[in-house]
Amino acid sequence: MVPVHTAGAFRSPFLAEAPDADGTALVRRDGAPVGRIRFPGQPRFYALQTMDGIPYSKIAVLHGADVLATTVLQTCIRYQSRTRTCRFCAIGQSLAAGRTIARKTPEQLAEVARAAVLLDGVRHMVMTTGTPATSDRGAAILCDSAAAVKAAVDLPIQGQCEPPDDDAWFTRMRDAGIDALGMHLEAVTPEVRARIMPGKAGVPLERYYAAFRAAVPVFGRGQVSTYILAGLGDSRAAILDMAERLIAMGVYPFVVPFVPVTGTPLEDHPPPDATFMRDLLAPIGAMLKAAGMRSSDSKAGCGKCGACSSLASFEA
Ligand code: SF4
């Protein structure tokens, strides 16, 4: 996943030239050739639309090489006010820009998932959601969506939501067809949580730990994961401590470099540099290896995709 629409992208020392006839493109760093890349093609399912005229690409999109991704509910209780919103989040922007629709129905998701598998060889699916004003925190919507997709096509699914009020939702989600679960911490220390995500920081870390402990026996070790954004203020030591704690619980810590999104309050926040990321990911990769937890063993989701972080390359 290479950001190309952010201000930072224009300051990047890397430049990809237009592809040659063989489909590969030369990449230069400060003018010197460093290698050749191949751009992903336009997925074939993007050309289709539902009977009522909604383009499939407004229902789900291709992430990484073979992952179908959707935000089932494109609205969020935490996005109503700029003082409560997670400051890195752009969930309302793509909706306002007309690139997606507010609520994807189970039928629409099933239709698009089937097409993405048949036409583009998609191998797993990420289903995330904005947080609704219900105590299940979106788990019920994920259950309905996953059940419909699974009835249409055999596709491993990762659901992503905040910890629901009742741990019984984990069994319900698994029984509905969700194979892996993401509950995302984003930041790990109380000060950074309060500054970066003032609304979601109201969910205590203790609730996340309890939810992880309840979810791992349901989904399996390494099938529960959490996204951690490096570069927002958490120290290397704090992230490493959290990763160690999570791995001991059987939770995969998907540590990702923060990428500023244009239009969000953090659009001018710099991403972490490569040295910081290497110093973080190398020891986490060693911890994962020692614990026998590999991204490739996860059935579905961000850890398996790995497009947003090079963590998997440190597990070897
Ligand atoms: S790691 Fe997750 S968020 Fe990133 S491209 Fe892959 S599926 Fe999408």
Side-chain angles (χ1 to χ4, degrees):
M1 195 280 281
V2 180
V4 292
H5 295 300
T6 63
F10 292 96
R11 292 193 295 271
S12 169
F14 294 98
L15 181 78
E17 296 185 349
D20 288 341
D22 69 354
T24 66
L26 179 67
V27 175
R28 296 178 182 276
R29 178 176 189 162
D30 295 321
V34 290
R36 299 191 73 82
I37 60 166
R38 186 181 293 275
F39 289 99
Q42 177 90 327
R44 280 182 273 193
F45 78 87
Y46 279 20
L48 303 179
Q49 59 179 29
T50 61
M51 290 295 278
D52 45 350
I54 300 169
Y56 278 12
S57 60
K58 290 192 179 187
I59 295 166
V61 292
L62 190 72
H63 275 207
D66 57 6
V67 193
L68 185 68
T70 187
T71 303
V72 180
L73 191 64
Q74 197 79 29
T75 55
C76 182
I77 44 165
R78 313 213 179 280
Y79 201 80
Q80 312 299 333
S81 128
R82 265 307 187 193
T83 61
R84 310 303 295 159
T85 185
C86 302
R87 292 165 58 79
F88 49 79
C89 181
I91 194 169
Q93 283 176 216
S94 42
L95 182 61
R99 287 194 297 273
T100 186
I101 56 175
R103 170 80 163 93
K104 289 81 171 176
T105 67
E107 297 73 25
Q108 289 169 339
L109 291 167
E111 186 177 332
V112 176
R114 191 163 182 279
V117 169
L118 294 178
L119 298 178
D120 295 287
V122 155
R123 294 163 70 96
H124 55 125
M125 182 169 188
V126 170
M127 244 180 219
T128 191
T129 181
T131 302
T134 50
S135 59
D136 64 87
R137 297 286 194 249
I141 290 171
L142 293 175
C143 285
D144 294 346
S145 305
V149 168
K150 276 286 165 71
V153 66
D154 184 17
L155 184 64
I157 298 170
Q158 183 197 42
Q160 302 184 346
C161 61
E162 289 186 26
D165 61 331
D166 183 349
D167 292 341
W169 279 109
F170 299 133
T171 308
R172 291 179 199 136
M173 283 195 269
R174 185 201 58 201
D175 292 349
I178 292 175
D179 301 277
L181 179 68
M183 293 186 289
H184 299 328
L185 288 169
E186 330 281 10
V188 302
T189 43
E191 317 79 74
V192 181
R193 296 185 80 224
R195 177 165 53 81
I196 298 293
M197 34 183 216
K200 201 163 99 151
V203 182
L205 283 173
E206 287 306 327
R207 174 61 198 128
Y208 276 86
Y209 300 147
F212 289 140
R213 281 192 291 269
V216 168
V218 175
F219 292 96
R221 199 167 162 274
Q223 304 301 336
V224 177
S225 62
T226 190
Y227 218 92
I228 294 173
L229 296 165
L232 292 178
D234 285 322
S235 67
R236 174 177 178 271
I239 295 176
L240 289 178
D241 281 353
M242 181 60 82
E244 192 172 18
R245 175 193 276 254
L246 291 165
I247 292 168
M249 284 192 273
V251 175
Y252 187 90
F254 191 51
V255 178
V256 171
F258 164 69
V259 174
V261 179
T262 304
T264 64
L266 291 182
E267 66 178 357
D268 293 323
H269 192 289
D273 64 28
T275 307
F276 181 77
M277 288 312 299
R278 203 176 295 119
D279 289 350
L280 202 48
L281 297 183
I284 297 174
M287 285 181 215
L288 286 165
K289 188 177 178 194
M293 263 165 72
R294 289 179 310 184
S295 52
S296 55
D297 292 334
S298 77
K299 295 175 187 164
C302 289
K304 188 176 188 69
C305 165
C308 287
S309 171
S310 55
L311 176 55
S313 58
F314 292 91
E315 294 168 12

